[in-house]
Structure formats: C-alpha cells, structure tokens
Amino acid sequence: MIFKQFSRSFLLIAGFAFLGFSAYAQGDATKGEALFKAKCTTCHQVDKQVVGPALGPQLTEETDDKYLIKWIENNQALIAAHNPKAVAIYNKFNQSNMTVFTELSDADVTNIITYIRSDWKTLQAAPKTPANPENPTASGPSDMVIYGLIAIIIIAFIIILVLNKVISTLERVLLKNDGLVLAEAETETPAVDKYATLRKLIKNKKLVFFVILCAVIASSSWTWVILWNTNVHTGYQPVQPIKFPHDLHAGAMKIDCQYCHSGAYKSKNASIPSLNVCMNCHKVVKTESPEIHKIYDALGYDPQTQKYDSTKARPIQWVRIHYLPDFVYFNHSQHVKVAKLRCQTCHGPVETMKEVYQYSPLTMKWCIQCHKRTNVDFKGNAYYTNLEQVHTLLSQGKKVTAAAMGGIECGKCHY
C-alpha cells in the first residue's frame, strides 16, 4: 500500500514536471509586444532575418522554454559554462555576441516568447500578398501611342499633297476643255525655277494651315511637359560621401529598412541612421573596406585599439535625395504603421539599387492616384473602430458629440 501510494505521487509529480518542460510559455502577448519592440527589434524580426535570425521559426522549433529564458537573460553565462546548445548557436552565427538582458525578469521573457509565437502563427495564417505590390507611378503615354501619332501626321501630310495634285490636275483639265489654256503655253518649255515647288507649297492654304496646326500642337505639348516636370526630380541620384550598397544590405542580406531608418515606424521622418547603427556590424565585418574606414574616421574610431576619440569625430554630410515642398505634410508613421505600406511603394525597389535614387515623381497627382488605389485596412485600427461606432450612432438617429469624433485629442488643438 505504501509503495502504491508512493508510486502514484511520483508519477503525478513526474507528469507535471514533463508538462512544465515541454509546454510553451504562457504569457501576456500584449506586454511581450511592447518589450519586443523596445529590446529586440534592433537585431531581430519575427519573420525576417536582420542582424540575427528570424525569431518566429526559431522559437517554434525550440520547445524548451526554460532554456530560452536563460539564453535571452544571459547567453554569455551559458556560453562560458560550455552549454552544448549555447555553444552550437554561438558558433553557428560566427561567434557574434548577443546582448544580455539581465534586467528582464522570467515573466518578461515569457511574455516576449508568447508574443513572438502568436505573431508568427498569425503571419503564417494570413493570406500571402505579392512581393511587389502595384506601384502607383504615374506613367506617360506608351511608345506605341507616340509612334502612332507621328504616323498619322505623316499619312495626313501625304494625303494633303496627293489631293492637291489631283485638284490641280482636274483644274487644268477643266480649263483645257473650256478652251482657256493656250496651246503655245502648253508647248512652251518653262524656265527652270528651283524654288517653284516651294512657292507652290507656300501658296497652298490648306497645307500652310496644317503645318501651323501641327506646330501649335507640338509646341503646346512640349510646353506642357516642361511645366509639368518643373521641380520633379525623378531619377535624381547625387554622389554620397560613402557608397552604401542597398542591394547588398536590403537585397542580399535582407536587412529590414526600419533597422536603419527606425523613425519611419514611429515618427514623421524616416531619419538618417546614426553611425553607431553601422558599427553594430562593421566593428567586425569588412573592416578592411575603404568605405568602412570612412565611418571609422567620422567616429574617431581606431580599429586597432577599438577605442573612440571624440575630438576627431565629425558628422557625415549625406546628400538628401527625396524632397517635398514646405507646404506639404507627410508623416511616415501614418503610412508605415497605420496603412502598413512597404517602403518600396514610394521609394521603389531599393533592394536592387546599388545607390539610391528618386524612383517616384512625388507629385500631387501621383499621391492622389495612390490614395485612390489603396484600400483601407480597418482591422485592428482603433481610429476606424471609433468611426464605425460613430456611424452606427448616426444611423440610429442618436446625437454625436465632438468628443466622440476625437475632439478631446491633444492633436486637435495642439498641432
């Protein structure tokens, strides 16, 4: 009896222990999202490789949450203790040191793990969208249209010449039948006049009118194109102080745009990345490159001693590429975070550009076309949820206050 009771207790405890080791972390995904964006997005994304691997598939394969918590909080301690799994990961990623987060509690790390797994599950379930959505670039008329117009003008010119010749011949036949054409005039050899044809063309009122009309149309079209493209800098590609290959970083390495341009997600401006962001990788990567040494010089960094001299530091004079008029307000976060647009929608396929240039015209017409074509995603957006509630009140004939329309938001008055 004693043995039976002991065996039952042992099996019960062992079962709970097994479930504790094998079950996924159960935390608060909302809190985990905030921690993830504050602590992890510098090096990681859920579905994309940045500096470190994509965490979604990694944490789905790894089920030992206790080990994950220890690794995230202090991976250096695991490596120093020669933990086989930790050493294997360390060697897999070229012995790159991951930041330690000793300030995070076990509950904080559990929340982060829960968020990553839930977000990865959502991304896997979501319908796949095309890699390159339609770019609303305002294109001009095709070459076929232009060649067709030129062909029509040439054919019309030939028809006018033929009709004039036919009319002239018919007039001579009628005069001859009426006995008005002198026989000697017909037999007389005319004097050679090299400008006779030109004079006839000038006297032809229909031809002169047609030529003037074509000239007016051509000059008007040329003037319209020149005025329309005034201050439009499509294709503008200035020489930058450092040759930064976007096709390598955003293309081959698949580094997310917001790893460098972090302001695009949270502010009006996309922001120019500080050189410290470059040093996250280039403290050990491609240290022999002359372009990387320009970064070292700007920071006053000595790669031999790995020390900084602030007295030698100087800013890099990057040349701005994309300009908007001063009276135009554009907010990156509204388009990136709320509308969920990809950077390539406006900036073109930067992942294929050796050096970035202005891809889109950025004219008012181009922006309006984009706004007409882009569907609004209402899901998970508190602003549109509030609008739906307001419309429901209106349909029911109820009163709607200014507060319900966002009238007590700070930005309504303090813009």
Side-chain angles (χ1 to χ4, degrees):
M1 292 293 293
I2 295 173
F3 176 76
K4 187 180 289 186
Q5 290 178 355
F6 174 78
S7 61
R8 286 178 180 175
S9 301
F10 176 78
L11 290 174
L12 186 62
I13 294 170
F16 280 122
F18 175 78
L19 290 174
F21 277 109
S22 61
Y24 277 173
Q26 298 300 318
D28 190 331
T30 304
K31 293 180 180 178
E33 181 181 8
L35 288 169
F36 178 81
K37 290 180 178 179
K39 302 287 185 180
C40 309
T41 51
T42 303
C43 298
H44 294 284
Q45 292 291 332
V46 175
D47 58 337
K48 298 177 184 177
Q49 177 176 341
V50 191
V51 175
L55 294 182
Q58 294 288 331
L59 268 63
T60 302
E61 295 174 4
E62 180 57 67
T63 58
D64 188 350
D65 292 333
K66 289 188 176 181
Y67 166 76
L68 285 173
I69 291 171
K70 291 180 180 178
W71 169 265
I72 293 171
E73 289 179 355
N74 195 345
N75 59 89
Q76 297 300 316
L78 290 175
I79 296 170
H82 300 288
N83 180 283
K85 193 181 290 187
V87 172
I89 295 174
Y90 181 63
N91 292 329
K92 180 180 178 181
F93 291 97
N94 300 321
Q95 299 185 349
S96 298
N97 293 325
M98 175 180 161
T99 307
V100 297
F101 297 99
T102 53
E103 72 277 9
L104 295 178
S105 65
D106 291 357
D108 291 335
V109 178
T110 301
N111 292 337
I112 293 174
I113 294 172
T114 303
Y115 162 70
I116 293 171
R117 284 174 176 158
S118 64
D119 192 54
W120 174 247
K121 198 173 185 181
T122 303
L123 291 172
Q124 291 295 99
K128 304 297 180 183
T129 55
N132 292 316
E134 181 184 358
N135 190 291
T137 302
S139 58
S142 64
D143 293 340
M144 185 64 69
V145 173
I146 295 174
Y147 293 146
L149 290 174
I150 294 174
I152 290 172
I153 292 173
I154 294 173
I155 292 172
F157 184 75
I158 294 172
I159 290 173
I160 289 175
L161 290 178
V162 171
L163 289 176
N164 282 327
K165 187 68 176 175
V166 171
I167 291 171
S168 177
T169 304
L170 290 174
E171 287 177 347
R172 290 179 62 82
V173 169
L174 290 173
L175 291 172
K176 185 176 181 181
N177 291 338
D178 293 340
L180 299 176
V181 179
L182 298 176
E184 56 271 15
E186 293 179 353
T187 58
E188 208 175 83
T189 303
V192 178
D193 186 0
K194 60 174 81 175
Y195 300 109
T197 304
L198 181 60
R199 290 195 184 95
K200 287 182 179 179
L201 292 176
I202 294 174
K203 291 179 179 179
N204 191 319
K205 295 180 180 180
K206 297 184 183 68
L207 180 61
V208 171
F209 173 78
F210 181 76
V211 171
I212 294 175
L213 180 63
C214 290
V216 170
I217 294 173
S219 61
S220 300
S221 301
W222 178 79
T223 304
W224 175 265
V225 171
I226 293 298
L227 293 176
W228 181 259
N229 289 296
T230 299
N231 209 34
V232 176
H233 305 291
T234 306
Y236 175 57
Q237 188 180 38
V239 177
Q240 301 290 355
I242 294 178
K243 295 179 180 178
F244 181 87
H246 276 75
D247 59 341
L248 172 62
H249 293 79
M253 303 300 295
K254 299 188 183 303
I255 297 176
D256 191 87
C257 299
Q258 293 175 43
Y259 174 69
C260 297
H261 302 284
S262 57
Y265 184 79
K266 58 187 177 183
S267 70
K268 175 180 182 291
N269 299 310
S271 71
I272 299 174
S274 66
L275 296 181
N276 291 332
V277 176
C278 305
M279 292 296 286
N280 287 339
C281 297
H282 289 294
K283 205 169 185 178
V284 293
V285 178
K286 299 289 286 184
T287 56
E288 74 283 357
S289 170
E291 298 300 319
I292 302 303
H293 275 268
K294 292 179 182 179
I295 299 176
Y296 295 163
D297 295 340
L299 288 170
Y301 174 75
D302 187 350
Q304 302 299 326
T305 61
Q306 296 190 351
K307 292 183 179 180
Y308 294 89
D309 184 355
S310 59
T311 60
K312 296 180 180 178
R314 54 179 177 78
I316 290 182
Q317 302 296 325
W318 296 104
V319 182
R320 185 170 181 172
I321 299 173
H322 301 87
Y323 284 91
L324 288 177
D326 293 338
F327 54 81
V328 176
Y329 178 80
F330 180 86
N331 191 312
H332 276 83
S333 62
Q334 286 179 339
H335 293 76
V336 175
K337 185 177 181 180
V338 180
K340 298 181 177 61
L341 295 182
R342 299 173 71 241
C343 302
Q344 288 84 345
T345 304
C346 297
H347 296 287
V350 290
E351 70 277 6
T352 64
M353 298 180 187
K354 193 71 178 176
E355 292 185 31
V356 172
Y357 59 89
Q358 182 172 322
Y359 178 81
S360 304
L362 303 181
T363 59
M364 180 177 175
K365 174 186 175 183
W366 181 83
C367 294
I368 290 175
Q369 284 181 338
C370 183
H371 283 198
K372 287 181 177 180
R373 297 172 182 174
T374 304
N375 295 323
V376 177
D377 184 7
F378 294 94
K379 294 181 180 179
N381 191 308
Y383 175 77
Y384 293 116
T385 302
N386 179 63
L387 282 184
E388 287 181 346
Q389 294 172 353
V390 170
H391 280 284
T392 302
L393 293 174
L394 289 173
S395 65
Q396 296 172 354
K398 297 181 180 179
K399 294 182 179 180
V400 177
T401 64
M405 296 292 292
I408 57 176
E409 295 174 2
C410 303
K412 292 293 182 180
C413 299
H414 303 285
Y415 185 76

